[in-house]
Amino acid sequence: MVIRFCLVKMAEAKGAVCEDLDMISALPEELLLKILLRVPIKDAVATMILSKRWRFIWMMLPRLDYKEKRYGDDFMNDYDEDDDDDDDNDDDESNKSIWWFFEKSMELHKAHVLTTLLIKLGPGCPSDADVQKWLKKAVDRHVRVLRFKLCWSTVPTGLPKSLYTCQTLKELTLSRKILVDFPSSSCLPSLIILELFYVVYKEDDSLVRLLSGCPVLEYLMVKRNKDDNVTKFSVKVPSLLDLLYSNYNTPDDNDIVDTGRCLVIDTPALINYHIADMSGDSCSIENMPCLESAYIDVESFADIDRVLTSISAVVSLELAMTDVLLVGCSNINFSRLIKLSIYPDMSHWLEPLLILLKNAPKLKDLLVDYVYICTEDLTLSWDQPSSIPRCLSSQLEIFEYRQYRDTEEDEEFLTYILANSKCLKTVTVSVKPSFDLERKELIIKKLRDIPRVSTTSQLLFK
Amino acid sequence: MSEKKIVLKSSDGKTIDVAKAVALQSQTITHMVEDSCVGNEIPFENVTGQVLAKVIEYCKKHVVVDGETLTCKTVAHVIHTRTIDEIRTFFNVENDYTPRKKQ
């Protein structure tokens, strides 16, 4: 058999002598570890009973990945976190949490260096589980990548003190029932990537102290929980290059209007940010001279001018267009802008958009997505501008229209773009998903007939 | 003449015999094989014998590593999808644990 032949050859190449017929046990430990790294943790640990030779092999694994079995619905998934389905092949021998397996195996694990530890503990995790003990062990074993998600039913857990000064940690993800309480002595000198998903903070300063202790932090991703004890969420990180912040907690009707809650961003080296904030918290953005791309979907700004200044030199911009932003954008010269995606959130956005286009002389790629507009009968009357925006006549190559509603106004706008974009290469239209196939066919037919000034352009449908 | 071997000729006249599979690990060699259709001999006018020898050495190691990755993946698959007993049978692993005395 091919595999057996290969195994023998491999073992011989490494100097092993295969006297007996055992194909794999004779392989050097380094190779066996490579094999076990590709196997789910439970199977890797199970190999310890194959034979005496195998007893201690898995204990030297540098990477341990524990994930909870599914419980039927989606709560274990946070939107952007990856979840692989490897362990769904297990039969449901028990709905027991992975906790006990995690605890026992961490106890046995021997490798001097544990570079990666990934843990997800679901609601079945007992409230007296000593999670801190194992986090501490990871720190003691020079962990570099630590991702910890805890969904137990009791109060958020604190973290072991040694984690606050872990010299080796490069990537840290904390998710759900975790209390972030970093002292002023915190120092994570190697931390480059930090993710805080729906965690709870002791107070505003806990976050400030954490971030101050990360001198080389480059990537920060935050997903806010509704009541996380932070009033002023302050991101002040001189080394930060990428910031992704989302707060989808909309205020309740009976919330106090002016809570004083705000988001403050002071990251002078930032290259890219993605901010989505539905909470109504006021957002304040300091200058970012290196900014290349931005995604903004925010309801309330402390100082709109500062925000606009921060995005004026970007190359790529994605905007949920609210009144406030639109009015502001009409005064900005987007001298470097090449790619623009807009998600109109209001009526009467066409005229301001055209003003924006006038201010974006280098624009090559335009996307309009109607995802936020629900009402079918939103009437958008617009007057065609007196002069055609320069980017249309000399630059625009790619145009995409999502959630096309097949109204008169939509068609007018599309016709305008097609009639005036001399350099257009591709036009992509995706029709509203609620339309049936027949209607889609009709729309496609109609759109194909619209005259296009750029005869080489392609019209695509998604 | 075997189709599975290629002869590489360096700028200073040295020739190296190489199995086709090994030589094709190098993109450069692959392109040259495709371009020059002169029998099985590929001339490298800009490469000395010494450099050529090093390149071939690398290619040989590369092939072995690829084989290693493939085998690792396959063994891992077996371990993941089978019971302990099945794994033992598949690879002929002898269970040398002494059974616990029944109490």
Side-chain angles (χ1 to χ4, degrees):
Chain A
M1 223 198 117
V2 179
I3 299 300
R4 294 186 183 170
F5 175 76
C6 286
L7 286 168
V8 170
K9 283 289 161 217
M10 270 167 56
E12 281 173 4
K14 303 264 174 178
V17 177
C18 283
E19 294 167 328
D20 42 49
L21 289 166
D22 182 339
M23 297 285 101
I24 48 171
S25 303
L27 294 171
E29 184 173 298
E30 173 201 319
L31 213 49
L32 294 179
L33 284 173
K34 272 193 187 163
I35 293 170
L36 290 183
L37 278 171
R38 293 171 183 276
V39 151
I41 187 70
K42 281 197 172 169
D43 298 323
V45 173
T47 61
M48 68 188 290
I49 63 169
L50 278 176
S51 71
K52 283 182 181 168
R53 160 82 171 123
W54 281 88
R55 186 165 169 197
F56 301 105
I57 305 277
W58 78 266
M59 296 179 195
M60 303 308 287
L61 282 170
R63 181 183 193 276
L64 299 174
D65 182 354
Y66 297 89
K67 294 208 179 93
E68 201 72 91
K69 276 203 284 265
R70 291 299 170 72
Y71 285 85
D73 62 13
D74 259 320
F75 65 62
M76 280 301 297
N77 299 344
D78 289 325
Y79 315 69
D80 302 348
E81 286 172 46
D82 5 305
D83 271 324
D84 29 298
D85 288 314
D86 281 343
D87 41 15
D88 277 4
N89 289 330
D90 297 336
D91 47 40
D92 0 328
E93 13 157 9
S94 64
N95 266 331
K96 247 168 92 170
S97 169
I98 204 172
W99 165 254
W100 286 276
F101 173 75
F102 170 66
E103 191 181 36
K104 287 214 185 82
S105 54
M106 283 296 286
E107 179 90 46
L108 292 171
H109 188 261
K110 284 196 188 352
H112 178 62
V113 175
L114 175 59
T115 50
T116 305
L117 178 60
L118 313 177
I119 322 164
K120 278 188 184 177
L121 298 170
C125 178
S127 358
D128 60 352
D130 190 356
V131 293
Q132 291 198 40
K133 178 176 175 186
W134 305 115
L135 295 176
K136 183 177 182 309
K137 180 166 179 175
V139 172
D140 291 344
R141 300 286 167 98
H142 314 287
V143 69
R144 289 195 212 140
V145 176
L146 177 61
R147 300 203 219 286
F148 179 39
K149 178 175 182 174
L150 181 62
C151 296
W152 66 11
S153 47
T154 182
V155 296
T157 181
L159 297 167
K161 285 201 174 52
S162 54
L163 182 59
Y164 302 140
T165 50
C166 180
Q167 304 290 302
T168 49
L169 200 57
K170 286 177 77 170
E171 298 178 31
L172 176 63
T173 305
L174 300 172
S175 179
R176 299 283 176 180
K177 293 278 187 85
I178 297 172
L179 176 67
V180 171
D181 180 18
F182 280 68
S184 40
S185 53
S186 311
C187 185
L188 298 168
S190 310
L191 198 69
I192 296 183
I193 295 177
L194 175 61
E195 296 176 322
L196 301 167
F197 296 154
Y198 312 108
V199 296
V200 171
Y201 306 80
K202 180 102 185 287
E203 57 199 347
D204 288 15
D205 273 350
S206 311
L207 173 68
V208 173
R209 289 189 291 258
L210 163 54
L211 295 178
S212 313
C214 302
V216 299
L217 193 67
E218 290 181 8
Y219 175 101
L220 173 63
M221 183 167 186
V222 174
K223 297 187 194 180
R224 294 284 301 274
N225 213 343
K226 185 160 173 124
D227 299 306
D228 58 4
N229 298 331
V230 174
T231 307
K232 176 180 171 191
F233 199 95
S234 173
V235 178
K236 189 178 155 87
V237 185
S239 54
L240 205 67
L241 303 177
D242 266 282
L243 172 63
L244 290 85
Y245 177 93
S246 65
N247 185 347
Y248 291 109
N249 302 301
T250 49
D252 296 332
D253 285 333
N254 51 7
D255 273 358
I256 317 163
V257 173
D258 185 8
T259 56
R261 287 172 56 114
C262 59
L263 166 67
V264 176
I265 301 174
D266 182 1
T267 48
L270 209 70
I271 294 181
N272 165 61
Y273 70 64
H274 180 120
I275 302 180
D277 192 344
M278 315 283 117
S279 67
D281 292 353
S282 114
C283 173
S284 157
I285 298 181
E286 297 295 322
N287 195 23
M288 296 177 187
C290 309
L291 200 67
E292 295 278 308
S293 60
Y295 171 102
I296 307 179
D297 187 358
V298 173
E299 309 227 325
S300 156
F301 294 98
D303 183 346
I304 184 77
D305 289 329
R306 282 245 202 90
V307 174
L308 292 168
T309 313
S310 80
I311 59 172
S312 56
V314 296
V315 171
S316 168
L317 181 62
E318 293 183 74
L319 279 179
M321 286 179 111
T322 56
D323 298 334
V324 159
L325 263 181
L326 261 183
V327 168
C329 280
S330 55
N331 296 324
I332 299 286
N333 188 14
F334 292 101
S335 54
R336 297 173 70 215
L337 194 63
I338 293 187
K339 183 167 162 48
L340 174 67
S341 306
I342 47 170
Y343 306 85
D345 198 355
M346 36 166 279
S347 56
H348 309 299
W349 59 273
L350 264 171
E351 279 162 24
L353 170 64
L354 285 160
I355 297 178
L356 212 172
L357 289 180
K358 284 212 169 134
N359 294 340
K362 293 196 175 150
L363 195 70
K364 284 192 151 68
D365 187 336
L366 175 64
L367 162 70
V368 174
D369 188 339
Y370 267 127
V371 64
Y372 290 135
I373 298 198
C374 325
T375 41
E376 284 288 275
D377 49 2
L378 207 61
T379 47
L380 305 168
S381 60
W382 62 298
D383 295 321
Q384 292 199 9
S386 48
S387 61
I388 299 165
R390 190 162 30 124
C391 63
L392 290 186
S393 41
S394 61
Q395 297 285 342
L396 196 72
E397 292 176 8
I398 303 171
F399 177 63
E400 186 172 343
Y401 209 146
R402 287 191 195 155
Q403 308 263 342
Y404 183 78
R405 299 163 314 153
D406 196 26
T407 59
E408 205 181 296
E409 293 76 24
D410 285 5
E411 201 178 315
E412 262 183 50
F413 179 61
L414 187 55
T415 308
Y416 179 79
I417 296 284
L418 293 177
N420 293 304
S421 307
K422 297 186 182 149
C423 306
L424 208 51
K425 290 189 178 150
T426 51
V427 180
T428 312
V429 177
S430 17
V431 168
K432 255 179 95 85
S434 53
F435 289 168
D436 59 46
L437 207 58
E438 210 182 302
R439 189 160 176 197
K440 278 190 191 157
E441 297 284 330
L442 280 168
I443 295 173
I444 291 176
K445 219 170 156 207
K446 209 188 335 174
L447 296 182
R448 284 207 199 277
D449 287 336
I450 299 177
R452 285 174 261 156
V453 67
S454 163
T455 47
T456 53
S457 63
Q458 270 192 313
L459 182 56
L460 306 165
F461 294 94
K462 275 206 234 174
Chain B
M1 179 92 84
S2 164
E3 280 177 4
K4 294 194 185 146
K5 280 210 167 203
I6 293 179
V7 177
L8 306 178
K9 190 165 175 183
S10 67
S11 58
D12 45 357
K14 298 214 170 89
T15 58
I16 309 182
D17 276 358
V18 150
K20 202 170 189 180
V22 170
L24 295 180
Q25 291 293 318
S26 157
Q27 282 236 337
T28 317
I29 297 182
T30 308
H31 287 316
M32 293 196 70
V33 168
E34 285 164 15
D35 290 345
S36 52
C37 310
V38 186
N40 274 355
E41 196 175 275
I42 312 296
F44 284 84
E45 279 146 37
N46 297 329
V47 185
T48 63
Q50 213 180 22
V51 172
L52 204 54
K54 283 268 178 245
V55 170
I56 297 305
E57 215 179 284
Y58 169 84
C59 290
K60 279 186 181 157
K61 284 199 179 132
H62 202 59
V63 173
V64 170
V65 167
D66 268 3
E68 185 178 293
T69 312
L70 180 61
T71 312
C72 281
K73 278 188 182 170
T74 322
V75 174
H77 183 74
V78 170
I79 293 178
H80 176 45
T81 51
R82 307 205 182 189
T83 66
I84 290 293
D85 279 329
E86 286 168 351
I87 297 172
R88 283 203 192 106
T89 316
F90 191 92
F91 294 115
N92 282 324
V93 177
E94 192 202 317
N95 179 2
D96 54 357
Y97 282 115
T98 46
R100 285 231 299 263
K101 291 207 175 112
K102 292 215 171 128
Q103 289 174 337

